[in-house]
Amino acid sequence: MARSPSPRPAAVPPGGRVPLLVRGSVAPVGVPAWDERAWRVLGHRSGPLRVVGGPGTGKTTVLLAALAERVREGVAPENMLLLVGSRRAAADMRERLTPLLHPHGGDPESTTRELLVRTVHSYAFGVLRLHAARHGDPPPRLLAGAEQDVVVRELLAGEIEGDAPDSGWPDRLRPALGLPGFAAELRELLLRAAERGLGPEELFALGERHGVDEWRAAGRFFRVYEQVVLLRGAAGRGAPQATAPALDSAELVAAALDTLAADPDLRAAEQRRVRHLFVDDAQDLDPQQLELVATLGSTASTTLLAGDADQAVLAFRGADPQGLRAVEAETVVLDVDHRSRAAVRAATGRLAARLPGAGAGRVRVAAGPEDDEGQVLVRVFGSVAAEAAWVADRLRRAHLVDGVPWSEMAVLSRSTRRSLPALRRALVAGGVPIVAPPDELPLARQPAVVPLLMVLRAATRPEELDADAAAALLTSPLGSGDPMRMRRLRRGLLRLRAAAEPDPPAAHATGGTAALADVGAERVSSDPLLVEAVRAAA
């Protein structure tokens, strides 16, 4: 944990609470004082240029400044495109770009119908939609992740029941076919294969070549999955609901590349339009995204690719850290650190030194004079709870002993789902006020949404309701059932059944249902009654 005695005022949250900064949280940053190398990037006006720099060296800021400078010089916004890797990054970039483009409240002449900042997938989808409109074809449709999950799980369930072709999974994997985790891992495998241009046949051949039964089975499953998705999108070209076959996120870029290759007029139109191309975090692009960038950058007047191979974090999703090499270009290395204190910079430098490769952006220098305050501590804990308790203790000591305001502290976590519950409990127990972003959980897993989905599932498919689902529904915020109420409900259902039977054997043998002292036996015997009651209500 590192603490800086002089944090940026813009990062202080209202209310003096400690922010829990999770993956994706972005704090506003000021415009740094440009050094000679940054001015070189800002003054670049012809051909491609590669911008490399470590954390805090201002790569993103200089990209935005270069884009805004071209707008002020009279370049039409429609002729510029800034590609980023995620929707969250795109939203942050647009927010930071607005005051640069409109420093005095707005300029109507700089308004454009084209988005200056887009994700790679958003741009690819736009290419497909433009191609469909030019040729009178049905518009493309994006296959959402939740919809893709449903298709994968239904096909796996069909294999278990014998209603779908058997993919030939190894015996050791068959017990896992019905588990949600297996379906999620299989979906990820299909996405990664598609991102690298591998279809069902290529994935099967890869398994044959390396003797991996799982890849061969996944190739067979991939073939059936593709056929099902194509059939679902077939509604007839003249139908009002007609769409092109649904594409998942991994297939979008490949489809856009195919479209640009098959439609020279569209490719030429896009290359004429995108005269100035900017790419941020190029180290996180996968091979097909690199090809799309190379296609646009090969004819652009200027191309700026910014990134740092040492900061590549998406290799597990198919990203290639060599994305910075997508376009042959001269390299400018930004080495002035505008963000970190000396202790943090030295610690991250030691970590980066262990990474493979040369690491052009590993050497960073301070932006100006700085003191020696601040420290970096490394601690290893045996459990998440122990780690959270230590963090809470450090924050409380810093506030009570050192007099550090709560608003000058922050806790960063890589995974909200895994770390936030334990952190929240420990911080609250330690008297540390907190504020956490509410939108890190997927919508389907939000506590307020889960009960509604359960109700809809029970109403539409009551025959699939089991005892666990019924109990979860009744104990949700909608059911408001606590353990005491659930026990009373179960006993009441047993009494109603006993009263309805003309000669209940259990009553004569044990003196009535009140003799069911064993809670486990009571729960098992009342499970069918609980399910029946919930089904009747549904």
Side-chain angles (χ1 to χ4, degrees), residues 22-23 87-88 145-146 149 187 415-418 420 437-451 453:
V22 295
R23 181 183 61 235
R87 286 179 295 177
R88 185 184 294 274
D149 279 335
R187 172 176 173 262
S415 172
T416 309
R417 182 173 57 86
R418 297 180 179 179
L420 186 57
D439 58 343
E440 288 299 324
L441 283 177
L443 181 62
R445 296 183 181 178
Q446 293 283 349
V449 177
V450 171
L453 295 178

Side-chain angles (χ1 to χ4, degrees), residues 6-365:
S6 302
R8 294 185 298 268
V12 176
R17 299 177 180 179
V18 176
L20 296 179
L21 299 183
V22 295
R23 181 183 61 235
S25 297
V26 179
V29 295
V31 177
W34 303 121
D35 59 7
E36 180 182 353
R37 297 181 180 181
W39 279 115
R40 183 178 171 188
V41 176
L42 290 172
H44 182 73
R45 289 295 182 273
S46 177
L49 184 68
R50 186 181 302 110
V51 183
V52 177
T57 54
K59 300 182 298 297
T60 300
T61 305
V62 78
L63 277 187
L64 293 174
L67 190 153
E69 182 66 22
R70 283 166 172 75
V71 173
R72 287 192 290 268
E73 291 174 353
V75 176
E78 289 83 358
N79 296 136
M80 293 184 290
L81 176 64
L82 173 55
L83 293 177
V84 296
S86 67
R87 286 179 295 177
R88 185 184 294 274
D92 175 65
M93 296 281 261
R94 294 186 192 112
E95 184 177 351
R96 294 174 58 181
L97 186 60
T98 299
L100 297 177
L101 295 177
H102 311 289
H104 304 295
D107 180 6
E109 294 184 359
S110 64
T111 303
T112 173
R113 292 180 296 177
E114 290 287 342
L115 289 175
L116 285 173
V117 184
R118 305 184 72 167
T119 66
V120 179
H121 293 102
S122 171
Y123 175 76
F125 188 80
V127 168
L128 296 176
R129 186 170 53 186
L130 182 60
H131 173 76
R134 288 165 64 99
H135 295 273
D137 293 335
R141 186 171 71 88
L142 180 62
L143 186 65
E147 186 179 357
Q148 191 176 12
D149 279 335
V150 169
V151 176
V152 172
R153 294 175 68 171
E154 286 180 348
L155 289 177
L156 288 174
E159 290 193 25
I160 296 174
E161 300 295 332
D163 298 330
D166 190 357
S167 300
W169 299 102
D171 292 338
R172 64 180 181 279
L173 290 182
R174 289 194 173 276
L177 296 186
L179 299 178
F182 182 84
E185 291 294 331
L186 179 57
R187 172 176 173 262
E188 288 296 321
L189 174 62
L190 302 185
L191 287 174
R192 302 293 80 78
E195 286 172 350
R196 293 189 173 271
L198 300 178
E201 289 74 18
E202 291 81 5
L203 184 56
F204 181 86
L206 198 64
E208 285 282 341
R209 188 181 315 128
H210 296 279
V212 181
D213 295 337
E214 292 87 342
W215 291 354
R216 284 195 288 261
R220 299 189 191 97
F221 180 90
F222 200 176
R223 185 183 303 113
V224 178
Y225 168 81
E226 276 193 341
Q227 294 169 352
V228 170
V229 172
L230 289 173
L231 286 173
R232 287 191 172 195
R237 296 171 63 92
Q241 72 274 22
T243 65
L247 301 170
D248 58 42
S249 59
E251 295 171 323
L252 275 178
V253 180
L257 286 171
D258 292 341
T259 298
L260 292 175
D263 191 342
D265 293 338
L266 177 61
R267 182 175 68 251
E270 281 299 291
Q271 289 177 335
R272 286 194 302 269
R273 186 181 70 81
V274 181
R275 304 309 305 153
H276 303 275
L277 177 65
F278 307 83
V279 183
D280 195 25
D281 287 333
Q283 76 278 354
D284 287 329
L285 300 178
D286 62 48
Q288 291 189 330
Q289 293 172 353
L290 299 180
E291 187 178 347
L292 181 60
V293 169
T295 300
L296 296 175
S298 61
T299 57
S301 299
T302 58
T303 302
L304 292 179
L305 281 80
D308 179 17
D310 288 341
Q311 297 182 60
V313 296
L314 296 180
F316 71 97
R317 296 185 59 182
D320 186 355
Q322 297 304 314
L324 288 166
R325 304 290 174 181
V327 176
E328 290 297 326
E330 185 183 357
T331 299
V332 173
V333 179
L334 304 180
D335 60 353
V336 178
D337 186 359
H338 302 275
R339 181 186 303 165
S340 304
R341 289 298 183 108
V344 177
R345 188 163 54 250
T348 55
R350 289 192 296 270
L351 289 175
R354 303 179 186 179
L355 299 175
R362 292 178 185 176
V363 178
R364 292 177 292 156
V365 298

